[in-house]
């Protein structure tokens, strides 16, 4: 096996931390002897616990293997600062590895080249770049948070075969099958926040928490409502469960305090927009979620919210469920509103597409092509607001 093979193994290990480590990045590490024997493996398993390098060193110790003179294959630059755990770069120095191969540098300001410097000053050979494109894709949400100060936005909707998310009367339950809806609950359990507009709350009275049949909930997301006119009913399920599952209501600056007080008394948190235009409000909200270090945002509608985000070019990923049903109706609602594009050649393309089936329904997923990952994250300039 060559360097790239071992890095691919480290990337596969890193993936196991998805939904458990945020806002930290997913990281995997493989320790290999000069003869090519795997001595130990590890990944960052949960936020606040040992990082990948330390877990790999512990695994090697458990196997009875010495790592002196070994090569450490790591999917991200080893950290150099004291946070919830000690620096991984120092742990590798102490273990006396001879070489570190990292897929990419870490743009987080507290690291950003400092981990490599610690290793090199200790006489450890450092190589960077093998598997870098895969590593950037794996940790695209983390990279967006650190470099742009905003969460990774996944747009999710369910529609009929003719592209409707509700009938002309607003009826929308249920477009997709129970199998598809259970997948959505699994997805919610890996998200930091879920966003809907007030129209969705009024039409569906959703809970927006994770309730998968498997019971495998990694986290309960912050439930966010873009509700400039504060139309969310006090009797809604969101408000009534706000002390159990957090709720953030994003409201207009003109909403009087006396109207807000009952929602705060029920346990809701309030964020005030300063702008009146929908897209500008969404930009403010994304900045606020970024300040809270929320990495993954699932947007479940409605059409106005998704349209504003597309106009901002802030939709990063799509999950579109398509049910084998025909709805019809010129006035029936479509998934994405907003201003939209004026010419078809400007339409956003998807890449890394997958097509899955849940019962009778089809799920199409993909990432929105804006720039190549090298163009978007290549220089990895950190966002100083997160320092």
């Amino acid at each position: 096996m060559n360097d790239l093979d071992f890095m691919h193994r480290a990337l596969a290990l890193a993936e196991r931390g998805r939904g458990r480590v945020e806002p930290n990045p997913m990281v995997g590490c493989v320790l290999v002897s000069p003869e090519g024997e795997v001595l130990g493996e590890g990944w960052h398993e949960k936020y606040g616990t040992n990082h990948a390098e330390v877990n790999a060193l512990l695994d090697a110790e458990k196997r009875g293997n010495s790592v002196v003179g070994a090569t450490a294959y790591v999917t991200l630059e080893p950290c150099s600062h004291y946070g919830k755990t000690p620096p991984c770069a120092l742990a590798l120095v102490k273990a006396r590895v001879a070489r570190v191969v990292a897929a990419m540098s870490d743009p987080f300001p507290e690291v950003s080249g400092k981990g490599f410097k610690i290793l090199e000053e200790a006489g450890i050979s450092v190589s960077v770049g093998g598997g870098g494109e895969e590593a950037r894709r794996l940790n695209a949400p983390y990279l967006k948070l650190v470099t742009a100060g905003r969460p990774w936005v996944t747009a999710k909707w369910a529609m009929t075969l003719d592209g409707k998310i509700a009938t002309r009367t607003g009826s929308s339950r249920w477009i997709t099958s129970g199998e598809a809806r259970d997948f959505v609950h699994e997805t919610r359990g890996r998200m930091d926040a879920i966003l809907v507009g007030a129209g969705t709350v009024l039409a569906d009275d959703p809970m927006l928490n994770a309730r998968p049949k498997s019971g495998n909930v990694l986290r309960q997301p912050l439930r966010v409502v873009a509700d400039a006119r504060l139309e969310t009913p006090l009797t809604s399920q969101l408000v009534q469960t706000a002390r159990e599952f957090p709720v953030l209501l994003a409201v207009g600056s003109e909403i009087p305090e006396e109207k807000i007080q009952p929602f705060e008394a029920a346990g809701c948190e309030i964020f005030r927009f300063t702008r009146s235009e929908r897209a500008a409000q969404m930009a403010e909200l994304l900045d606020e979620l970024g300040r809270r270090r929320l990495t993954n945002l699932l947007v479940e509608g409605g059409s106005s919210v998704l349209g504003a985000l597309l106009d901002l070019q802030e939709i990063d990923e799509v999950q579109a469920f398509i049910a084998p049903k025909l709805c019809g109706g010129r006035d029936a609602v479509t998934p994405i509103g907003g201003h939209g594009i004026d010419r078809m050649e400007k339409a956003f393309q998807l890449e890394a597409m997958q097509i899955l089936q849940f019962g009778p329904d089809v799920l199409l997923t993909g990432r929105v092509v804006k720039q190549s990952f090298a163009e978007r994250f290549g220089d990895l300039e950190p966002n100083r607001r997160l320092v």
Side-chain angles (χ1 to χ4, degrees):
M1 295 178 69
N2 58 30
D3 283 354
L4 199 54
D5 292 327
F6 289 121
M7 186 59 72
H8 283 154
R9 173 58 184 167
L11 287 163
L13 291 170
E15 174 70 36
R16 297 183 185 183
R18 185 178 298 278
R20 296 177 171 87
V21 302
E22 291 82 0
N24 284 351
M26 292 174 277
V27 183
C29 177
V30 180
L31 297 167
V32 180
S33 73
E35 295 74 33
E37 176 190 359
V38 173
L39 304 172
E41 297 181 331
W43 66 96
H44 187 21
E45 298 177 10
K46 187 178 180 181
Y47 178 71
T49 64
N50 290 334
H51 290 184
E53 298 91 329
V54 172
N55 281 334
L57 291 169
L58 291 173
D59 183 50
E61 183 180 349
K62 185 184 299 184
R63 298 187 195 192
N65 293 329
S66 168
V67 300
V68 174
T71 296
Y73 294 89
V74 191
T75 58
L76 187 68
E77 176 182 1
C79 65
S80 56
H81 65 297
Y82 286 87
K84 291 188 177 296
T85 60
C88 292
L90 292 180
L92 292 173
V93 170
K94 184 177 179 181
R96 296 167 59 195
V97 302
R99 180 174 175 239
V100 170
V101 178
M104 60 176 291
S105 60
D106 187 342
F108 186 63
E110 293 296 318
V111 183
S112 194
K114 301 180 182 70
F116 293 145
K117 184 177 180 181
I118 289 172
L119 296 170
E120 290 172 335
E121 288 179 346
I124 296 173
S125 171
V126 174
S127 300
V128 186
E133 185 73 5
E134 295 95 327
R136 283 189 285 272
R137 288 184 180 276
L138 176 73
N139 277 315
Y142 168 77
L143 297 178
K144 184 182 178 185
L145 180 65
V146 173
T147 60
R150 290 177 173 176
W152 183 263
V153 176
T154 299
K156 170 261 169 187
W157 64 82
M159 66 184 183
T160 59
L161 193 58
D162 55 340
K164 308 297 184 180
I165 62 172
T167 69
R168 59 182 172 80
T169 64
S171 173
S172 61
R173 287 193 172 181
W174 293 103
I175 294 174
T176 52
S177 63
E179 293 95 328
R181 296 198 299 275
D182 189 59
F183 178 81
V184 172
H185 281 288
E186 295 279 358
T187 302
R188 286 178 179 177
R190 296 190 296 272
M191 293 288 161
D192 298 298
I194 296 176
L195 169 65
V196 297
T200 298
V201 176
L202 292 170
D204 298 338
D205 190 21
M207 278 281 288
L208 300 181
N209 62 340
R211 306 184 304 276
K213 289 181 180 178
S214 67
N216 183 29
V217 179
L218 301 180
R219 59 183 64 199
Q220 285 291 353
L222 172 68
R223 302 174 297 170
V224 185
V225 184
D227 189 1
R229 293 192 292 268
L230 192 49
E231 297 174 300
T232 297
L234 280 166
T235 56
S236 66
Q237 292 193 90
L238 285 169
V239 177
Q240 293 298 308
T241 59
R243 296 199 181 280
E244 183 180 3
F245 305 111
V247 172
L248 177 67
L249 297 177
V251 305
S253 59
E254 74 284 356
I255 302 298
E257 282 298 324
E258 56 267 26
K259 188 175 180 180
I260 286 175
Q261 286 173 358
F263 292 92
E264 291 180 322
C268 297
E269 189 177 358
I270 304 296
F271 170 75
R272 284 188 179 273
F273 295 123
T274 64
R275 309 284 293 278
S276 58
E277 198 268 326
R278 191 60 153 170
Q281 290 176 343
M282 289 302 100
E284 286 184 309
L285 185 54
L286 291 178
D287 286 339
E288 172 64 17
L289 298 179
R291 279 189 285 270
R292 294 168 181 244
R293 299 200 68 200
L294 301 184
T295 310
N296 287 287
L297 173 66
L298 180 66
V299 184
E300 296 200 13
S303 178
S304 172
V305 171
L306 288 169
L309 290 168
L310 188 67
D311 289 342
L312 285 171
Q313 299 188 33
E314 283 291 345
I315 293 179
D316 301 295
E317 191 169 341
V318 168
Q319 292 185 358
F321 289 90
I322 306 168
K325 299 176 181 179
L326 298 174
C327 182
R330 180 177 58 188
D331 297 325
V333 184
T334 57
I336 301 180
H339 295 295
I341 58 167
D342 57 353
R343 299 187 62 82
M344 188 55 68
E345 61 262 27
K346 297 179 183 178
F348 293 98
Q349 301 282 336
L350 297 185
E351 63 178 359
M353 289 173 51
Q354 287 186 303
I355 298 176
L356 305 171
Q357 187 165 357
F358 297 91
D361 308 312
V362 172
L363 169 63
L364 187 150
T365 70
R367 294 186 172 188
V368 179
V369 179
K370 303 170 188 176
Q371 302 165 286
S372 72
F373 270 72
E375 290 173 322
R376 193 171 183 193
F377 299 126
D379 56 2
L380 297 174
E381 282 297 321
N383 183 284
R384 295 298 168 183
R385 286 178 298 178
L386 298 180
V387 178

